[in-house]
Amino acid sequence: MATPKFPKTPVSFHGELKKRIADYFDQKGKAPTGNIKLYTKAVILFLLFVGFYVHLVFFTPVLWLALVESALFGFVISAIGFNIMHDGAHGSFSRYKWVNDMASNFANFLGASQHMWKTKHNIIHHTYTNIAGVDDDIEARPLLRLCDEQEHYKIHKYQHYYFPFAYSLLYLWWVFVTDYKKYFSGKIGNIPLRKMTTSEHVSFWMYKLAHAVLFVAIPIYFVGFMPWLVGFLTMGLVTGFVLSIVFQLAHTVEHTHFPMPAEATGKMEDEWAIHQIKTTANFATRNKVISWFCGGLNFQIEHHLFPKISHIHYPQISKIIKQACQEFGIQYVEYPRMTTAIKSHVSYLKHVGRAA
């Protein structure tokens, strides 16, 4: 399908939001990018990453402890993705481009192509959120059906039971399958990729090789094939599940919308900013541990409206956005606890898993 168009309105809600947020940063004298809190967290996560890797590969502990460390390693990799790579990819980690590039490049070393990610996430997902046939983040067939517009298979009747298994495959599938599928097809879903430059082709293969050396060749050499396989799968499955559940709680719950463009015009009903709020949900925003670990992705509404603002500032700007939503009569979806959001997500999976 052709990419939908968003209407231009005489009184722009997005324009009003941008004015209020700009006023906030001017009054506080703050930069919208990362600060010492973010950089301290980045150092902690990097040291944890190095510590787990070195201990597992070069000082391999007994089996039970190796499995625990491999699982914790998966949590650390997820946290690096949420806090360092994600902000870097959006240009919000630092005011300096080279620092943002370095932060976003963490994903390349972890096996996930930043070129593919920035197109899939920054451009497609952030523009066409929850629009079936365009937003690749809600495309998980044949295992899962994530909206009513997608084809229904008999297995979907049980997806609210087996979704943890499906989610756990994300990281491994992403690194070893979908990146290559996008590379060779030149498309993300139905959307053509921008033609890659020679340096981007070289970078793609260079980082894939670096990942294979770091996460496959070196560990196999030092610990052997089977210990590596068990540890790598444990790490990969935990990483996949954590990444998946955080992103799914933000968009595929009972109170988020899945609007489609008008068939005749290809236009969406709402302006872009209102579309983002209707298709997005927050969860556990008062839980400081979850907020620290998730890199503010539990403040998903704020992130979708202002992706170039670092997640460090989301708790403050959320108050401004909530107030604006009340004034404009726009529903601001927020679940007070992560468990509440998970229950809503399971109920939603059960609903869309039924045959039409």
Side-chain angles (χ1 to χ4, degrees), residues 74-149:
F75 277 99
V76 170
I77 289 173
S78 302
I80 287 174
F82 294 146
N83 291 276
I84 303 175
M85 181 278 287
H86 192 239
D87 271 29
H90 281 291
S92 64
F93 188 86
S94 167
R95 67 181 69 185
Y96 301 108
K97 184 179 183 301
W98 69 269
V99 178
N100 287 318
D101 290 342
M102 186 171 65
S104 68
N105 272 345
F106 263 100
N108 285 321
F109 284 105
L110 297 175
S113 167
Q114 266 299 282
H115 178 78
M116 305 302 174
W117 163 261
K118 286 181 178 179
T119 303
K120 168 187 166 67
H121 181 77
N122 293 17
I123 298 174
I124 299 174
H125 171 66
H126 269 265
T127 305
Y128 307 108
T129 313
N130 279 14
I131 301 177
V134 184
D135 184 3
D136 196 58
D137 277 16
I138 58 169
E139 179 56 65
R141 290 177 291 179
L143 278 181
L144 297 167
R145 184 180 192 235
L146 296 177
C147 67
D148 288 328
E149 286 71 27

Side-chain angles (χ1 to χ4, degrees), residues 34-343:
N35 55 26
I36 190 63
K37 291 182 180 179
L38 176 56
Y39 306 144
T40 301
K41 178 163 48 169
V43 170
I44 292 171
L45 291 173
F46 178 71
L47 292 177
L48 286 172
F49 174 88
V50 172
F52 278 123
Y53 181 88
V54 169
H55 193 243
L56 283 167
V57 174
F58 303 110
F59 304 94
T60 310
V62 294
L63 177 61
W64 71 267
L65 183 55
L67 289 174
V68 171
E69 287 192 17
S70 295
L72 291 174
F73 195 26
F75 277 99
V76 170
I77 289 173
S78 302
I80 287 174
F82 294 146
N83 291 276
I84 303 175
M85 181 278 287
H86 192 239
D87 271 29
H90 281 291
S92 64
F93 188 86
S94 167
R95 67 181 69 185
Y96 301 108
K97 184 179 183 301
W98 69 269
V99 178
N100 287 318
D101 290 342
M102 186 171 65
S104 68
N105 272 345
F106 263 100
N108 285 321
F109 284 105
L110 297 175
S113 167
Q114 266 299 282
H115 178 78
M116 305 302 174
W117 163 261
K118 286 181 178 179
T119 303
K120 168 187 166 67
H121 181 77
N122 293 17
I123 298 174
I124 299 174
H125 171 66
H126 269 265
T127 305
Y128 307 108
T129 313
N130 279 14
I131 301 177
V134 184
D135 184 3
D136 196 58
D137 277 16
I138 58 169
E139 179 56 65
R141 290 177 291 179
L143 278 181
L144 297 167
R145 184 180 192 235
L146 296 177
C147 67
D148 288 328
E149 286 71 27
Q150 293 174 347
E151 188 176 354
H152 182 272
Y153 301 115
K154 290 182 180 179
I155 192 174
H156 295 152
K157 181 180 179 181
Y158 308 101
Q159 66 179 8
H160 57 291
Y161 293 120
Y162 66 74
F163 76 92
F165 165 75
Y167 288 175
S168 67
L169 298 176
L170 170 71
Y171 174 72
L172 300 174
W173 191 252
W174 179 2
V175 170
F176 295 111
V177 179
T178 58
D179 266 356
Y180 294 104
K181 182 179 178 181
K182 292 164 190 165
Y183 180 86
F184 288 110
S185 69
K187 295 190 299 182
I188 295 178
N190 296 319
I191 308 298
L193 270 170
R194 173 183 58 79
K195 187 176 180 180
M196 296 172 68
T197 64
T198 300
S199 63
E200 286 169 341
H201 282 289
V202 172
S203 176
F204 178 87
W205 290 107
M206 180 187 73
Y207 281 116
K208 285 296 184 183
L209 178 60
H211 173 261
V213 171
L214 189 65
F215 282 89
V216 181
I218 293 176
I220 289 177
Y221 178 80
F222 281 95
V223 305
F225 179 79
M226 283 307 298
W228 162 79
L229 182 63
V230 173
F232 184 76
L233 288 178
T234 301
M235 177 275 292
L237 294 173
V238 169
T239 302
F241 178 79
V242 174
L243 291 174
S244 292
I245 195 66
V246 168
F247 281 107
Q248 293 299 344
L249 294 184
H251 297 293
T252 54
V253 286
E254 292 172 296
H255 298 93
T256 51
H257 294 205
F258 293 80
M260 294 294 288
E263 290 187 17
T265 62
K267 286 188 176 182
M268 302 301 297
E269 180 180 357
D270 296 308
E271 67 163 285
W272 177 83
I274 295 176
H275 173 89
Q276 295 304 314
I277 295 173
K278 287 185 175 181
T279 56
T280 308
N282 287 358
F283 63 90
T285 54
R286 294 187 179 183
N287 188 314
K288 292 185 178 181
V289 174
I290 290 176
S291 296
W292 189 93
F293 176 80
C294 291
L297 291 178
N298 52 329
F299 287 88
Q300 192 77 197
I301 292 173
E302 287 66 34
H303 173 61
H304 266 255
L305 290 171
F306 296 98
K308 292 189 178 296
I309 295 178
S310 172
H311 72 267
I312 290 294
H313 305 291
Y314 291 166
Q316 289 73 41
I317 68 171
S318 68
K319 300 170 187 176
I320 300 171
I321 294 171
K322 280 183 184 178
Q323 178 63 35
C325 286
Q326 290 178 356
E327 294 175 15
F328 279 76
I330 302 166
Q331 184 184 17
Y332 181 100
V333 180
E334 182 170 14
Y335 296 95
R337 293 178 296 277
M338 189 171 190
T339 53
T340 311
I342 290 174
K343 288 177 182 177

